Amino acid sequence: MEDLSLPKIDYAAIAPMLILFGVACLGVLFEAVLPKAARRSAQLVLALLGLLAALVMIVVEADTRVLTAGGAVAIDGPTLFLQGAIIVLGIMALLLIGDRALEHGGAFVAQAAVTVGSEADRRQAVKEQGATEVYPLSVFAIAGMLLFVAANDLLTMFVALEVFSLPLYLLCALARRRRLLSQEAALKYFLLGAYASAFFLFGVALVYGFAGGVEFGTIHDAVTESAQSTVLLYAGLAMIAIGLLFKAAAAPFHVWTPDVYQGAPTPITGLMAACTKVAAFGGMLRVLYVGFDGVAWDYTPILGAVAVLTMLIGAVLAVTQTDIKRLLAYSSIANAGYLMVGVLALSKDGLSSTMFYLVAYGFTVIAAFGVVTLVRDADGEATHLSRWAGLGRRSPLYAGIFTFILLAFAGIPLTSGFIAKFAVFGAALDAGEVWLVVFGVITSMLLAFPYLRVVVMMWLSEPGESTPTVSIPGGLTAAALVIGVVATLVLGVAPAPLLDLTTSAADFVR
């Protein structure tokens, strides 16, 4: 008789995801029942407590190695490490999201449906409190990212992809000021994201046609044992790669990144730059290392060419940028290329170095966007680079912090950026991928120029009438800045504990 019993589920292992999905649903309930004045603090506290509780459960389950939920979810070393990284970086992003000290009402529009340029729009920009639904939306996105890096089959991965993408599309449209730019960014992100998701899903169908299943173990066995034509396999892998590379902001699927980074509210830009990057590469690592490792010889040259193109486009176009958020967007694209160098090492060292890079970059980039939120005038954030001239004389402390962050992006020694690049390049060299390392070093040198240009503008230019002031950060923004800067310094000076942790965690279960 056929066994119709439900698959056994290890609820403790998946507790972090359950906690965050529950907190997000509770946040939606808060929006319905709490008075508007009480929502802001209640939603922020609820979101932070939920993330902390999920982080505690990850620590408690640190030794768990199990396939659960009918094999759809894999809880192993990379899953737990990447989930912990997403939660810690998500907490930093939520601190930026929750700060109301820099601008009355915060960075988010009071009513999303307000007509741009209307009297209601002008009034909300200066008087009304920002929308509080950003908190449950952010928690939904983070919960989806946790599921994405834990997915052990392609359909679960697709569902998780949509769960964390849809809230981000909405969040990008909620900027309090520059409403048209924000809405344009959200629309571009949504349309291109929909195409990428369609490619991913079509790729899943083709891989199912080849392997007869969507579980990574089934795909792995089919790749190594099946005598069928590999046309469906390679076509499916190519389409799945398009969906993953889009989320990772890798060329030529990067075109959304500068516009979205510039138009989205800056705290949301920080959330995407750090957490989405971790989720995208976490999914890519599982797909390539667990499901399709049997055809690594075939896809490595193609993805290597993508990595080189990504590094070149990010480094070269960063030189031409005149907006600090767009510059950081092209920096993010270039860093996606460096991460792919680590991924394509296809070894335990490649896996561990990539995870280290994701954490190091995440701390630094959130700190960078934290500083961007502070440089402002009466119209909001002053992101044009010409406005940053002479900033070092107006506010030497925050100009110094931003200088340190830019040096970390450039990979200067004694910063986390240097250790991260050294780790991924070393893993690629050990794997024989010398050509990737050569391009990585060359583009790193090119990318140093736009960073140093900003440093020179801040310190060696005279402040002009248009040079904005640097606002005193609120407690939440200050906390995020301190965490990011200290982590960037500590991981550059004493990286051994985190490197050891990534090495011990670099082991997938099948």
Side-chain angles (χ1 to χ4, degrees):
M1 183 176 180
E2 185 179 358
D3 184 9
L4 298 178
S5 61
L6 293 173
K8 292 183 178 179
I9 300 177
D10 188 339
Y11 288 102
I14 63 172
M17 291 172 279
L18 296 178
I19 289 171
L20 290 190
F21 280 122
V23 165
C25 293
L26 189 57
V28 174
L29 184 62
F30 277 14
E31 286 294 311
V33 301
L34 288 182
K36 191 171 183 178
R39 284 182 212 156
R40 183 174 64 109
S41 57
Q43 290 280 30
L44 177 60
V45 170
L46 175 66
L48 290 175
L49 288 178
L51 288 172
L52 289 172
L55 183 61
V56 169
M57 286 306 303
I58 288 174
V59 174
V60 170
E61 295 293 316
D63 296 327
T64 301
R65 302 291 184 270
V66 65
L67 296 179
T68 187
V73 175
I75 304 300
D76 52 22
T79 294
L80 294 168
F81 181 87
L82 294 170
Q83 285 184 338
I86 290 169
I87 289 175
V88 171
L89 297 173
I91 290 173
M92 290 179 63
L94 271 178
L95 293 176
L96 295 181
I97 291 170
D99 201 317
R100 297 292 192 272
L102 298 175
E103 181 172 357
H104 178 75
F108 299 93
V109 66
Q111 184 180 354
V114 66
T115 302
V116 175
S118 65
E119 178 59 32
D121 184 30
R122 290 188 289 271
R123 185 171 59 251
Q124 68 83 25
V126 296
K127 294 181 180 180
E128 297 181 20
Q129 290 292 327
T132 53
E133 58 262 31
V134 295
Y135 298 107
L137 286 173
S138 299
V139 176
F140 265 124
I142 294 171
M145 294 174 195
L146 298 194
L147 179 58
F148 191 75
V149 299
N152 194 50
D153 66 59
L154 291 171
L155 276 182
T156 303
M157 185 169 279
F158 174 75
V159 171
L161 177 68
E162 295 307 297
V163 169
F164 83 75
S165 295
L166 292 174
L168 291 177
Y169 300 150
L170 295 172
L171 289 166
C172 287
L174 299 182
R176 174 178 289 272
R177 300 176 185 269
R178 300 172 182 167
R179 300 281 297 127
L180 280 177
L181 192 63
S182 177
Q183 292 175 353
E184 179 188 352
L187 186 60
K188 287 179 178 178
Y189 194 21
F190 169 69
L191 290 176
L192 294 175
Y195 281 119
S197 296
F199 274 108
F200 187 96
L201 192 57
F202 194 16
V204 173
L206 294 180
V207 170
Y208 178 81
F210 171 81
V214 293
E215 300 83 5
F216 290 137
T218 301
I219 296 169
H220 171 81
D221 294 339
V223 166
T224 55
E225 299 172 5
S226 177
Q228 296 187 56
S229 169
T230 57
V231 173
L232 289 179
L233 172 67
Y234 291 129
L237 177 57
M239 291 187 174
I240 290 168
I242 289 174
L244 294 173
L245 293 171
F246 174 86
K247 281 301 175 187
F253 314 105
H254 68 285
V255 292
W256 61 274
T257 313
D259 292 336
V260 173
Y261 275 38
Q262 183 183 20
T266 301
I268 300 304
T269 307
L271 175 67
M272 291 191 296
C275 297
T276 303
K277 190 80 75 182
V278 175
F281 276 96
M284 189 183 302
L285 287 167
R286 190 169 295 277
V287 167
L288 298 181
Y289 279 60
V290 179
F292 295 89
D293 55 320
V295 289
W297 181 259
D298 299 301
Y299 67 67
T300 297
I302 298 173
L303 291 182
V306 170
V308 170
L309 182 64
T310 302
M311 292 185 284
L312 285 172
I313 287 178
V316 173
L317 293 186
V319 177
T320 67
Q321 300 308 305
T322 58
D323 185 275
I324 191 66
K325 291 176 75 174
R326 293 183 73 87
L327 190 156
L328 292 175
Y330 281 104
S331 169
S332 175
I333 293 167
N335 277 279
Y338 303 138
L339 281 160
M340 288 188 68
V341 173
V343 171
L344 293 175
L346 297 172
S347 63
K348 184 173 183 178
D349 286 343
L351 175 56
S352 64
S353 63
T354 301
M355 293 193 294
F356 179 90
Y357 199 120
L358 288 168
V359 173
Y361 176 75
F363 280 119
T364 308
V365 78
I366 291 184
F369 284 109
V371 175
V372 171
T373 64
L374 302 180
V375 183
R376 55 196 314 118
D377 55 21
D379 295 325
E381 295 166 359
T383 58
H384 198 280
L385 284 179
S386 63
R387 306 288 304 279
W388 288 58
L391 200 66
R393 305 192 183 191
R394 288 277 179 90
S395 181
L397 173 61
Y398 293 105
I401 290 174
F402 199 66
T403 298
F404 175 69
I405 290 169
L406 292 176
L407 293 177
F409 283 141
I412 301 301
L414 300 182
T415 66
S416 61
F418 172 77
I419 301 297
K421 283 188 173 69
F422 186 85
V424 294
F425 291 166
L429 281 176
D430 291 341
E433 304 293 342
V434 179
W435 65 292
L436 291 177
V437 177
V438 170
F439 278 103
V441 172
I442 293 172
T443 55
S444 294
M445 292 163 50
L446 288 174
L447 194 57
F449 174 76
Y451 298 144
L452 295 178
R453 183 182 62 173
V454 177
V455 173
V456 170
M457 288 180 61
M458 289 193 299
W459 291 104
L460 299 183
S461 300
E462 291 291 337
E465 292 183 0
S466 65
T467 302
T469 58
V470 178
S471 302
I472 298 175
L476 298 179
T477 297
L481 274 176
V482 169
I483 295 170
V485 172
V486 169
T488 300
L489 178 62
V490 170
L491 293 180
V493 176
L498 185 60
L499 286 171
D500 291 341
L501 182 59
T502 58
T503 301
S504 62
D507 188 20
F508 286 110
V509 298
R510 298 184 184 272

